[in-house]
Amino acid sequence: MISRWDLFMIKDIYNKGMSISDISRELQMDRKTIRKHIHSATAPSKQSRKKKSKLDSYKKYLHRRMMEDHVFNGKRLLDEISQLGYQGGKTILKDYLKPFWDMREKNTPSDLKLCQENRCRWTGKRLEP
């Protein structure tokens, strides 16, 4: 990556009459690179790219488990997606799950809420003390 200072220096030397080949030899850069920067109107900028997460392939599965099956337990979800081939860590998963944890109170069945209040066990079909 060429800096702004190098760009201005290249343009200044070129405007003073030095050839592109001479500039490339002097700066030990390819002449096509020198030509590209001489004819560019703006300074080069570093482009950021979105890095793909290890969790991306499993987000649909996680979303379905949380919204349809009401499973919000990070450990359980980590075990499940690990069996599906997930090789990431628990922190990535925890960061993804945080916004959904607030929704769990809204989306859990009323029997499960009652069970949580009374500290009993929810089996999915019935309440057990």
Side-chain angles (χ1 to χ4, degrees):
M1 177 94 190
I2 190 169
S3 68
R4 288 179 184 261
W5 172 254
D6 291 336
L7 176 68
F8 292 125
M9 185 176 67
I10 289 169
K11 286 188 176 190
D12 184 51
I13 294 171
Y14 181 73
N15 289 335
K16 289 183 179 177
M18 188 179 246
S19 71
I20 292 174
S21 295
D22 291 338
I23 296 172
S24 68
R25 267 187 246 115
E26 182 74 28
L27 299 177
Q28 297 179 348
M29 298 173 82
D30 190 72
R31 61 183 172 76
K32 290 176 265 181
T33 304
I34 301 293
R35 184 183 320 121
K36 178 179 79 172
H37 291 303
I38 287 172
H39 298 297
S40 69
T42 60
S45 61
K46 189 173 185 178
Q47 295 180 358
S48 62
R49 56 180 183 170
K50 188 165 171 28
K51 189 175 181 181
K52 187 176 177 185
S53 170
K54 291 181 180 180
L55 196 60
D56 286 346
S57 307
Y58 306 95
K59 286 183 179 178
K60 284 184 181 178
Y61 175 81
L62 292 169
H63 195 266
R64 183 185 59 77
R65 290 287 285 145
M66 289 185 288
M67 296 301 119
E68 294 175 12
D69 302 332
H70 308 290
V71 176
F72 293 91
N73 184 305
K75 174 84 171 111
R76 175 184 281 178
L77 291 171
L78 178 63
D79 291 342
E80 290 176 13
I81 61 175
S82 293
Q83 290 176 358
L84 297 174
Y86 174 68
Q87 295 184 357
K90 63 183 177 183
T91 305
I92 298 171
L93 178 63
K94 183 184 79 168
D95 292 343
Y96 177 72
L97 295 177
K98 275 183 186 177
F100 295 100
W101 287 340
D102 294 333
M103 295 171 50
R104 85 176 135 196
E105 289 300 318
K106 299 174 194 168
N107 292 320
T108 52
S110 58
D111 287 343
L112 179 57
K113 288 181 187 175
L114 179 65
C115 180
Q116 288 171 342
E117 292 168 5
N118 295 327
R119 293 187 176 22
C120 56
R121 198 174 81 164
W122 169 255
T123 63
K125 295 181 181 173
R126 63 178 188 263
L127 298 174
E128 294 179 359

